[in-house]
Amino acid sequence: MFKCIILGAEKLVRHLYQHNIPIAVATGSSKLNYDLKTRNHQDVFELFHHIVLSGDDPEVHHGKPAPDSFIVAARRFEGDPDPEKVLVFEDAPNGVLAAAAAKMPCVWIPDERADRTELEDKATLILKSLEEFQPEDFGLPPYNH
């Protein structure tokens, strides 16, 4: 999910955690790569309810753009929420396609060089930065500014 901490991600993660909104990571990384990517941000990643490492998880049969990792991540939440209640944040086109295939709303924060037009019908919202995200637009508690 995060190559490094995406601008605005730490604020969002801490906000959701403080409001008891369950959050998870669903990444195509193996444990080794995930550990390397997150080692400088353990204080943030320890706030997640669970992590699905598609590269190592036996329940994930196909990587993104298949929906497997998101479906597995959703099933591991208490109460097995409906897909339309699981909000995905993605920076990669294959992740947007996976979220759409899982029938989950998706906020896409693409690389500035990405062609946004090819996936605008798949992403629920496209932002230049996660700092633009307004939780209340998705029925979540607003930030306390």
Side-chain angles (χ1 to χ4, degrees), residues 15-67:
H15 174 74
L16 296 175
Y17 180 82
Q18 289 168 351
H19 288 277
N20 298 311
I21 308 295
I23 51 179
V25 172
T27 178
S29 295
S30 65
K31 177 145 178 46
L32 177 65
N33 286 336
Y34 174 81
D35 289 346
L36 288 172
K37 291 178 186 179
T38 62
R39 70 175 171 215
N40 295 326
H41 308 288
Q42 286 302 306
D43 60 320
V44 176
F45 284 91
E46 68 186 13
L47 302 177
F48 287 87
H49 183 268
H50 56 273
I51 312 293
V52 174
L53 302 172
S54 300
D56 291 337
D57 195 306
E59 290 186 56
V60 178
H61 301 289
H62 303 284
K64 298 172 188 174

Side-chain angles (χ1 to χ4, degrees), residues 4-145:
C4 58
I5 291 288
I6 294 172
L7 209 52
E10 182 172 355
K11 176 183 175 183
L12 177 60
V13 168
R14 291 189 185 284
H15 174 74
L16 296 175
Y17 180 82
Q18 289 168 351
H19 288 277
N20 298 311
I21 308 295
I23 51 179
V25 172
T27 178
S29 295
S30 65
K31 177 145 178 46
L32 177 65
N33 286 336
Y34 174 81
D35 289 346
L36 288 172
K37 291 178 186 179
T38 62
R39 70 175 171 215
N40 295 326
H41 308 288
Q42 286 302 306
D43 60 320
V44 176
F45 284 91
E46 68 186 13
L47 302 177
F48 287 87
H49 183 268
H50 56 273
I51 312 293
V52 174
L53 302 172
S54 300
D56 291 337
D57 195 306
E59 290 186 56
V60 178
H61 301 289
H62 303 284
K64 298 172 188 174
D68 300 27
S69 61
F70 291 135
I71 292 169
V72 169
R75 266 199 317 247
R76 291 183 183 167
F77 285 124
E78 210 171 289
D80 193 17
D82 292 328
E84 63 272 5
K85 301 283 187 191
V86 178
L87 180 59
V88 172
F89 292 88
E90 259 300 338
D91 62 346
N94 276 347
V96 176
L97 292 171
K103 308 221 180 312
M104 296 175 181
C106 181
V107 176
W108 184 29
I109 307 95
D111 181 274
E112 61 189 33
R113 298 166 298 209
D115 179 4
R116 289 168 168 75
T117 60
E118 70 179 65
L119 293 175
E120 63 188 359
D121 63 326
K122 303 283 187 211
T124 309
L125 179 65
I126 302 173
L127 300 176
K128 291 181 183 172
S129 164
L130 201 47
E131 292 181 308
E132 298 175 344
F133 180 69
Q134 298 298 310
E136 61 272 22
D137 292 347
F138 289 88
L140 297 165
Y143 287 128
N144 301 324
H145 296 286

